[in-house]
Amino acid sequence: MVTELAIWLIFLLPLGSFVFSALVVRPFFNRFSLVSGLGTITALGAALALSIWTLRSEILNHDLEFEPIRWLEIGGATIDLGLLIDPLTSVMLVVVTGVSLLVQIYSLGYMKGDASFSRYYSYMSLFTAAMIGLVLSSNIIQLYMFWELVGVSSYLLIGFWHERPAAAAAAKKAFIITRIGDVGFLVAILYLVTQAEAFAAAGLNAFHIRDIWASAQPEFAAGALIGGAALTWLALGIFAGAAGKSGQFPLHTWLPDAMEGPTPVSALIHAATMVAAGVFLVARFFPIFQHSVDAMTVVALVGVFTAVFAASMGLVMNDIKRVMAYSTVSQLGYMMAALGLGLYAPAIFHLVTHAAFKALLFLGAGSVNHASGTFDMRYMGGLRKVMPFTYMLMLVAGLSLVGIIPLAGFWSKDEILLGAWEGAGPVGTWVSKVTFIGLIAGVVVTAFYTIRMIILTFHGEFRGGIDQELEDKAQAAPAGAAHHGGVHLAESPWVMLLPMIVLGVTVVLLGYLANPQWIEEIGIPKHWITGFLGDGLQTALGLHEHAHTLDFSRWMATISTVAALSGIGLAVWIYLRRRIHGKDPLEKAGQVHDLISKKYYMDTLYEDVIVRQGFFKIFAGVVDWFDRNFVDGLVDLIGWFFRNIGKAIGKFQSGQVQAYATGVAFGVLAIILALLVA
């Protein structure tokens, strides 16, 4: 059985790697910056091994509860530093450390020659450590600390090439927008602070996550400690924080701009860390959500709207990383919609499969950038001839994203679609049906933009890469834009290919190992991952029966496959069969294309209307008027009063003894009168 020290080491190893890279290698041995990369990889390799050990112990039903370390006491409530180990934690640990390890190995090749190599690895280590700390946290204050550390780390990584104005702006945008969502999360925590005495009276701690779960259970103390409207608002506050991190509408605009960071950073953010944190947060507090139909309805509807809304923008993007960014937002919408429908285990299952195929897609994007020098698909084409491994791996990942059987993405997406159709959750039937229709539409759109991306990147003839792009734009290359400098039409080095191959194998096999019913023949229970996660949730709720799992449905698999193939067929007909040259055929849609390509003017709404007009002109104007007319006026009034009272008092300073004696006499008389009256 795994020990407490071993679990703490999963967090401490990447944290130690950060300290080593930031405080030892970078300031004193920067000439040997490769050491920081190798140190990070070694630390994460050990962390992955310990994570797998933890998952094994949890699968074998070992008791993994440990005594927390007392930290602070506030209003009778204790804040501890502790570990919460359950099926959700153990699965997330493997996902985070596994994807991060492969990304760091890939980075050895991608970031080779960068002047800030050791700084890059120090930031990546801190980012991974923060996510692991978040996953392991046993109380909400500890979780919130790591939650904000994830935000700070993402700011540093998105703005890694801070000398580029676009990167600096993207980092600030991500930091500010996610902070908006975090306000809701903080308000939820502050509400729990106000309830500390009520929790203590019931023998609970307002900050312990397990106790927060218990407080919402109707069976607890003959009635929920937190219920009704308070429970709903608590859940929505938590969801606000999750919406910011996971890019849910309307807090999604930062995520595509985050592509300004190095591509491995994008892979880590979009696959296993920051955006996954939002889904994890809702899943972690799912015992709270499921007792509020209103909160669950909001989560489901926001999720499905985000899934379709973001997918539509992926249709018209020309930057390969932005296509994947909107794909991530869309898939996160799938996960949130599933959680809103009560499909806890399928949502986490999809998070796991998404981590594998989305990491592979982003690493593939870095690989094609390594060859072409650009991320603009309009200047790629024909790369399958010179990059056959990258082509096959990205095709496998793309088909998994689309949901083609038997790849990993099919099994998780199919469970979500089946659960939405059956509508077994607490929300209304109409919510389930609307969600199902939206998700099916999302499958069609996802299939179209994914195959469009594959065709524009790998098929046809090569269209010049960064050299042609700069010639067309007649401008100098912006700093950091062509990180690898110019066009190198060749397969990526093996240090970059190897992690992609591992992820490719995972994408192929993960679905078989996790879900298909015939897997029992080789000793693995069918639906083991959804059953494993579902049983963990049942235990959290104080129930002991096995969680219900969704059986494989051939008709639902047929519906989802037909939807996916229709999108694939349309993309092939438009972009491959017709051999399109010049303008994108979608531009013929005119104003509709303009509307989508300009992201529904959401950035304009935020920047011009809300920030410049609303904040600067109205709010800041009101504050400025108040400052000039009230604050400054009050200060001026005080100054005028004391200046003039000084002049008035000064008139009594005549130097005449008679005047002073008269003043004293009147003063004494006033005192006597006051005493008599009293």
Side-chain angles (χ1 to χ4, degrees), residues 4-5 8 12 66-73 78-83 138-139 142 205 208:
E4 182 178 6
L5 175 60
W8 276 114
L12 293 174
F66 308 103
E67 192 68 25
I69 303 168
R70 178 161 297 187
W71 181 28
L72 293 172
E73 288 190 9
T78 303
I79 301 177
D80 302 320
L81 295 176
L83 301 172
S138 65
N139 74 81
Q142 180 185 349
N205 189 309
H208 288 182

Side-chain angles (χ1 to χ4, degrees), residues 104-272:
Q104 308 312 339
I105 295 172
Y106 178 94
S107 298
L108 289 177
Y110 189 87
M111 297 299 293
K112 183 180 180 181
D114 193 284
S116 300
F117 190 85
S118 57
R119 176 166 65 91
Y120 169 83
Y121 271 99
S122 67
Y123 289 173
M124 291 289 267
S125 297
L126 179 63
F127 196 24
T128 304
M131 186 64 193
I132 293 172
L134 188 156
V135 169
L136 289 172
S137 296
S138 65
N139 74 81
I140 198 169
I141 303 296
Q142 180 185 349
L143 188 152
Y144 187 74
M145 291 168 53
F146 287 113
W147 180 267
E148 294 299 338
L149 187 57
V150 167
V152 171
S153 304
S154 67
Y155 170 81
L156 295 173
L157 285 167
I158 295 169
F160 180 77
W161 287 316
H162 52 79
E163 65 276 6
R164 298 171 53 190
K172 289 187 288 185
K173 185 176 183 179
F175 190 80
I176 292 170
I177 291 179
T178 54
R179 293 292 77 69
I180 294 173
D182 290 352
V183 170
F185 189 17
L186 181 59
V187 170
I189 295 174
L190 293 176
Y191 170 75
L192 291 173
V193 173
T194 66
Q195 300 300 306
E197 292 185 1
F199 272 72
L204 302 176
N205 189 309
F207 303 133
H208 288 182
I209 292 175
R210 292 186 185 275
D211 288 354
I212 297 172
W213 296 344
S215 70
Q217 307 310 314
E219 299 82 8
F220 177 79
L225 185 61
I226 300 177
L231 181 67
T232 297
W233 285 109
L234 175 65
L236 291 178
I238 295 171
F239 177 64
K245 284 286 196 292
S246 290
Q248 299 298 287
F249 179 89
L251 302 179
H252 66 281
T253 58
W254 71 269
L255 201 50
D257 289 354
M259 300 301 98
E260 294 295 336
T263 299
V265 171
S266 303
L268 195 55
I269 287 177
H270 286 250

Side-chain angles (χ1 to χ4, degrees), residues 250-549:
L251 302 179
H252 66 281
T253 58
W254 71 269
L255 201 50
D257 289 354
M259 300 301 98
E260 294 295 336
T263 299
V265 171
S266 303
L268 195 55
I269 287 177
H270 286 250
T273 50
M274 189 168 177
V275 298
V279 177
F280 170 82
L281 184 67
V282 175
R284 173 57 80 212
F285 291 96
F286 191 79
I288 295 292
F289 281 84
Q290 75 164 15
H291 291 291
S292 174
V293 175
D294 291 338
M296 294 282 280
T297 300
V298 170
V299 174
L301 294 179
V302 169
V304 69
F305 181 81
T306 301
V308 179
F309 184 72
S312 69
M313 287 182 280
L315 290 171
V316 300
M317 294 294 122
N318 295 312
D319 186 303
I320 189 171
K321 288 175 64 176
R322 287 185 178 267
V323 174
M324 296 178 191
Y326 283 112
S327 168
T328 297
V329 178
S330 180
Q331 296 305 303
L332 291 168
Y334 267 84
M335 301 172 206
M336 286 296 187
L339 288 169
L341 296 178
L343 304 172
Y344 170 86
I348 303 303
F349 182 23
H350 194 54
L351 186 153
V352 173
T353 62
H354 176 265
F357 63 68
K358 188 52 59 70
L360 178 53
L361 283 170
F362 269 105
L363 297 187
S367 187
V368 298
N369 170 250
H370 187 273
S372 65
T374 182
F375 290 108
D376 194 328
M377 297 182 296
R378 293 171 296 183
Y379 298 96
M380 298 181 185
L383 295 180
R384 65 188 176 96
K385 301 173 184 177
V386 294
M387 307 180 73
F389 288 106
T390 299
Y391 170 64
M392 290 302 301
L393 290 167
M394 287 194 71
L395 182 61
V396 168
L399 293 177
S400 183
L401 167 63
V402 172
I404 297 298
I405 193 169
L407 301 175
F410 166 81
W411 300 106
S412 56
K413 189 173 292 186
D414 188 68
E415 283 206 4
I416 293 174
L417 290 171
L418 181 60
W421 177 257
E422 292 185 351
V427 299
T429 302
W430 72 271
V431 177
S432 298
K433 300 309 180 190
V434 168
T435 303
F436 175 79
I437 294 170
L439 295 181
I440 284 290
V443 170
V444 178
V445 179
T446 299
F448 182 91
Y449 70 64
T450 301
I451 300 305
R452 170 182 178 266
M453 175 187 69
I454 295 292
I455 293 173
L456 291 178
T457 303
F458 293 101
H459 289 263
E461 300 297 325
F462 182 62
R463 294 183 289 276
I466 186 65
D467 296 339
Q468 187 63 48
E469 181 181 359
L470 294 176
E471 182 180 334
D472 289 349
K473 295 180 179 179
Q475 62 182 25
H483 175 67
H484 301 284
V487 176
H488 305 284
L489 294 181
E491 189 63 88
S492 296
W494 280 104
V495 72
M496 294 170 63
L497 277 179
L498 183 60
M500 294 172 61
I501 292 172
V502 173
L503 285 169
V505 173
T506 303
V507 168
V508 173
L509 298 180
L510 184 59
Y512 284 104
L513 296 176
N515 198 54
Q517 49 192 345
W518 57 82
I519 205 69
E520 286 186 304
E521 298 175 3
I522 60 174
I524 301 176
K526 69 177 180 179
H527 298 282
W528 84 264
I529 193 168
T530 51
F532 176 59
L533 291 165
D535 288 342
L537 178 64
Q538 295 289 88
T539 302
L541 297 175
L543 305 175
H544 302 290
E545 68 267 18
H546 288 289
H548 171 71
T549 56

